[in-house]
Amino acid sequence: LSAVIFWTVFRFSNVLGYSSNDAKWWSIAFLFASPLIWIVLSPKYGYLPYEFSVLFTLLALLEYLGKKRWWLVGFLSALTFLTRPTAGLVIIFFALELFFSQDKDKKRSLFLLILPIIIAGFLLGGYNYLRFGGFLEQGYSYQMVSNESLEQARSYGLLRPTHVPGNLYYLLFAAPQPGFRDTISPVLTFPYIKADPWGMSFVFVSPYLLLLFLLRKLDNTDRHLLFASFLISLPLLLYYGIGFVQVGYRYGLDFFPLIFFL
């Protein structure tokens, strides 16, 4: 999966006009200078959905930049939704792009784009109902939490504004921790710093994203990327889990391909 993601980012960069050498470095950055690095190096079943959702999102973006077969963009977005429902909100970006496009048969194209994700919604809702007795319940309310800190966090609510400051901190500000030789002294031991298991800011994990602050002129596509990323981030910031254990802000992978595109 990681190799396929590498190839997809490489093709994606080529389509955007980058040379093969630059595309190679963008691919390396996407895998190893992003929250994906921990998932690539820690192949646990709980992390598998992130690689799938990132791949499906990238493939949908690649199709959007190429032939723009809206039924295929919708189908890939539906696969993203079935893997990570929050990441599936990428459909908002494509819908906005289509709505403001010069497509001659806009209504038909919108129907072809949205139909797969509607079907996916019914499939996932039915699956949830069979499993947990509710169309919107995905099992998070019943999840057995082995970490005492996470259990305490969930006691404040599954999705609550209370969790927004903590999520924002680990997304935007959290730094690496000092690697102490023992639990008492301030003496450090090699390699002197270590990753915070609760996550670290994109400033440290993906410093190239600081280039976003140099953007001066935003076109419609840029605004649509930002708007979709914002909507995707809302339920993530309200969630109690933070993403522990991780390097970088793992939940941010749901909108990371859009920010990477920007």
Side-chain angles (χ1 to χ4, degrees):
L1 274 174
S2 300
V4 176
I5 289 173
F6 186 96
W7 176 85
T8 307
V9 177
F10 186 87
R11 286 287 304 118
F12 185 74
S13 304
N14 279 159
V15 170
L16 290 176
Y18 288 96
S19 68
S20 293
N21 188 59
D22 287 342
K24 175 188 69 178
W25 284 108
W26 278 123
S27 302
I28 291 171
F30 193 93
L31 279 174
F32 301 112
S34 79
L36 263 178
I37 184 172
W38 180 252
I39 291 168
V40 170
L41 299 177
S42 305
K44 299 178 181 178
Y45 71 90
Y47 296 153
L48 196 58
Y50 293 92
E51 287 212 83
F52 273 116
S53 66
V54 164
L55 176 59
F56 293 144
T57 301
L58 286 171
L59 289 172
L61 288 170
L62 196 56
E63 176 62 29
Y64 160 76
L65 290 174
K67 296 181 180 179
K68 280 189 173 64
R69 290 170 289 189
W70 292 110
W71 65 268
L72 184 53
V73 174
F75 175 70
L76 290 166
S77 300
L79 292 179
T80 303
F81 176 79
L82 287 170
T83 311
R84 289 276 303 167
T86 42
L89 295 176
V90 68
I91 196 72
I92 294 169
F93 165 71
F94 297 121
L96 287 171
E97 285 291 281
L98 180 53
F99 183 79
F100 289 99
S101 72
Q102 302 299 318
D103 193 293
K104 295 178 181 177
D105 197 357
K106 200 173 291 185
K107 288 183 179 179
R108 180 176 180 274
S109 297
L110 275 170
F111 174 76
L112 292 175
L113 174 69
I114 295 171
L115 180 61
I117 210 159
I118 292 175
I119 295 171
F122 278 109
L123 287 173
L124 185 60
Y127 184 44
N128 289 336
Y129 182 79
L130 291 173
R131 291 187 297 170
F132 305 115
F135 284 95
L136 299 179
E137 177 56 63
Q138 297 194 69
Y140 290 106
S141 300
Y142 305 108
Q143 187 177 12
M144 294 176 67
V145 181
S146 57
N147 183 286
E148 187 179 354
S149 300
L150 286 174
E151 191 172 357
Q152 181 63 32
R154 191 171 65 176
S155 71
Y156 297 117
L158 193 70
L159 292 166
R160 291 288 186 276
T162 307
H163 304 304
V164 172
N167 278 293
L168 281 176
Y169 171 75
Y170 288 106
L171 171 64
L172 300 175
F173 304 113
Q177 296 178 332
F180 292 112
R181 184 178 292 271
D182 51 58
T183 58
I184 301 174
S185 73
V187 178
L188 300 180
T189 186
F190 184 83
Y192 310 119
I193 60 171
K194 61 181 181 180
D196 187 334
W198 286 96
M200 293 187 299
S201 162
F202 75 90
V203 173
F204 298 100
V205 180
S206 310
Y208 53 88
L209 292 184
L210 291 171
L211 291 169
L212 293 172
F213 293 105
L214 301 180
L215 292 176
R216 289 291 178 265
K217 249 183 166 181
L218 297 178
D219 58 23
N220 278 342
T221 297
D222 297 335
R223 294 187 186 94
H224 298 160
L225 287 168
L226 285 170
F227 183 67
S229 299
F230 172 73
L231 290 183
I232 292 171
S233 72
L234 286 179
L236 302 172
L237 295 175
L238 291 167
Y239 185 57
Y240 82 93
I242 304 292
F244 184 90
V245 175
Q246 60 187 348
V247 172
Y249 186 71
R250 174 159 49 98
Y251 295 157
L253 288 171
D254 287 351
F255 56 82
F256 185 76
L258 299 182
I259 296 298
F260 189 84
F261 182 15
L262 182 61

